[in-house]
Amino acid sequence: MIGGNAPAPYYRNRSLWGVSIAASVRSIGYGATWPFLAVYFNTYLHMSLLFVGLIFTLNSGISIVFSLFAGYMAAAFGRKFTLVLGNVAGFILYLLLSIFSGKNVAIISTLFVLTAFSGSLVFPSANSIVSDITSSMDREMGYAIYRIMANLGWAIGPLISAIIFSYGFGFIFLFVAIANAFATVIALIFVKTNTKFRSNRSGFLVKDYTLFFFSVPVFLLIMVSSQFSVTLPIYIVDDLHIVIKNLAYFYAVNGIVVVVGQYPISRMMRGHSDLYGLIFGSVFYTIGYLMVSFSHSLFYLIIDMIIITIGENFTSPNISTVASKIAPRDKVGRYMGFIGMINQLARTASPSVGTFILYSLSSSPILVWPAIDGFGISAIILFLVFKIAFVDRSRASGRPVNI
């Protein structure tokens, strides 16, 4: 539970802005590298399409274990400690990637897989900090601010990478390392937490059937949304023959739309069920990816990205918000760790599933995205079922439900 005074309003909450600015700096670095990574492995390191999917699957698979572990660490040792440790790990791993870039495929692949350790520590700790330092009324806006700042980095990072790209991938990896170093300093100076931790002798596993049911459509939704990182860029370069450098501008649109659109959407949805945001977002994701099948130029792909990102604006803050509201106050870190594990489980499966679909339908690429959209349609249906079975039924029985 939270000790001390009531949290400051979100617009003047120093720790909220501290963790959000740290996320922004960190994402500038990651925004510079992620648009190119799948293409880098496939085109520059000459890895097969299926092996690229395997590399990203292993990266996400490592995160499954560490996401649960990180939730426990955030509860047992402190959110700030776990956040800082994740950023320090990112600095070390990407510095090593910059040193070995272009020298040894096995070393590069191994280091990339291990970078999952950094992200899986940062995600549950940062989300738990936002939950701890905001009131229930301000929590969705707190997560919206966190996402806006993080995605400001995703808007800036790809544009920077378009400049750095010509110097080689080693410099892009170095840029990510430097971004992690700055994020560490910002977190150390500005993020303050006053959470009083209880003993966690019971371990870090969760037993909550409401959370379990909620995690199923979340898994399906992430299966669709995470095609963004591997399947989509490879499809754009290999099947649509878009110039690789233009990926930077394509992905910058994602960050810009989050920065511009996240706050208005969060304000619009304030007072409405968080589940409506997840349902609306799943619809936008499904439509946006379906449109990719009929887009053959950068202009139309940018329109698709805008629609996909609107879906992201609806869903991303609400996944964390619902998980934090389901959780007992002293188990928020544990619940965030669990939902982080589900997130990473989907991200583990999606690269292999996406690249397998892309490989299997190589003779009919127009069918790739309708096939992937099956996950999005399933998520929409199950979010509706969750709302009816858990939320509406609980309210009808007189039990207060805040989601």
Side-chain angles (χ1 to χ4, degrees):
M1 61 184 294
I2 301 297
N5 298 325
Y10 67 87
Y11 48 84
R12 55 185 179 87
N13 189 317
R14 184 174 184 268
S15 290
L16 173 62
W17 287 101
V19 73
S20 300
I21 292 170
S24 180
V25 171
R26 187 173 186 269
S27 64
I28 288 175
Y30 286 92
T33 185
W34 273 92
F36 295 113
L37 274 174
V39 176
Y40 169 70
F41 286 123
N42 181 229
T43 304
Y44 288 82
L45 299 184
H46 308 293
M47 293 182 181
S48 70
L49 190 62
L50 295 180
F51 192 72
V52 172
L54 176 62
I55 292 294
F56 279 83
T57 291
L58 290 173
N59 176 275
S60 298
I62 292 289
S63 296
I64 295 174
V65 176
F66 285 128
S67 290
L68 276 176
F69 180 64
Y72 173 71
M73 284 186 65
F77 302 107
R79 330 302 200 191
K80 183 174 178 177
F81 171 83
T82 312
L83 177 67
V84 169
L85 180 62
N87 283 321
V88 170
F91 166 74
I92 294 171
L93 289 165
Y94 275 94
L95 182 62
L96 290 173
L97 272 169
S98 71
I99 293 171
F100 289 101
S101 175
K103 294 181 180 179
N104 188 299
V105 172
I107 293 176
I108 294 171
S109 301
T110 302
L111 286 172
F112 172 69
V113 169
L114 291 176
T115 60
F117 177 75
S118 171
S120 60
L121 292 183
V122 169
F123 172 79
S125 55
N127 277 278
S128 296
I129 288 171
V130 174
S131 176
D132 289 342
I133 61 180
T134 55
S135 66
S136 178
M137 182 178 297
D138 279 346
R139 194 158 306 141
E140 184 177 347
M141 291 306 300
Y143 282 119
I145 287 171
Y146 177 77
R147 285 201 68 249
I148 289 169
M149 295 302 295
N151 280 275
L152 180 62
W154 279 97
I156 297 170
L159 298 178
I160 293 175
S161 70
I163 299 171
I164 302 176
F165 182 77
S166 59
Y167 295 98
F169 239 84
F171 288 96
I172 295 181
F173 289 139
L174 179 61
F175 184 72
V176 183
I178 293 170
N180 273 282
F182 276 105
T184 301
V185 173
I186 293 168
L188 285 170
I189 295 173
F190 294 103
V191 177
K192 307 292 181 184
T193 57
N194 62 343
T195 307
K196 296 180 179 178
F197 302 101
R198 298 180 180 180
S199 172
N200 286 278
R201 296 179 185 274
S202 59
F204 49 80
L205 296 179
V206 176
K207 186 177 180 180
D208 186 322
Y209 293 109
T210 303
L211 180 67
F212 292 166
F213 193 102
F214 174 67
S215 69
V216 175
V218 168
F219 174 87
L220 294 169
L221 172 61
I222 301 300
M223 283 291 291
V224 177
S225 66
S226 55
Q227 302 301 329
F228 177 93
S229 299
V230 181
T231 313
L232 186 58
I234 291 177
Y235 175 84
I236 289 172
V237 172
D238 287 358
D239 289 282
L240 302 185
H241 307 293
I242 301 295
V243 177
I244 295 176
K245 187 176 181 179
N246 285 340
L247 285 176
Y249 306 110
F250 174 69
Y251 279 93
V253 170
N254 171 257
I256 292 168
V257 174
V258 171
V259 172
V260 174
Q262 182 66 80
Y263 185 82
I265 286 176
S266 295
R267 290 287 297 179
M268 179 181 70
M269 295 303 296
R270 210 172 186 188
H272 298 283
S273 170
D274 302 316
L275 290 170
Y276 285 136
L278 292 171
I279 293 166
F280 293 156
S282 299
V283 170
F284 274 97
Y285 266 126
T286 302
I287 293 172
Y289 278 115
L290 180 62
M291 290 175 61
V292 172
S293 294
F294 306 98
S295 301
H296 302 286
S297 69
L298 184 63
F299 174 78
Y300 290 108
L301 286 169
I302 285 174
I303 294 174
D304 301 341
M305 177 60 82
I306 291 171
I307 294 171
I308 289 168
T309 308
I310 291 172
E312 182 183 342
N313 285 343
F314 273 110
T315 58
S316 289
N318 284 305
I319 291 174
S320 299
T321 301
V322 172
S324 70
K325 289 180 178 179
I326 291 173
R329 196 61 173 160
D330 63 326
K331 296 180 180 178
V332 171
R334 200 177 301 185
Y335 277 55
M336 287 297 182
F338 180 83
I339 210 68
M341 181 199 71
I342 296 301
N343 185 304
Q344 292 301 334
L345 185 62
R347 291 179 187 277
T348 297
S350 66
S352 292
V353 171
T355 51
F356 177 76
I357 292 173
L358 192 60
Y359 176 81
S360 300
L361 297 175
S362 58
S363 60
S364 304
I366 196 171
L367 299 178
V368 168
W369 300 104
I372 289 172
D373 267 349
F375 295 106
I377 294 169
S378 300
I380 294 166
I381 294 169
L382 287 178
F383 278 130
L384 286 168
V385 172
F386 178 80
K387 184 178 185 304
I388 294 168
F390 286 89
V391 180
D392 295 346
R393 186 174 294 178
S394 295
R395 286 175 179 162
S397 65
R399 288 177 293 170
V401 178
N402 194 29
I403 55 177

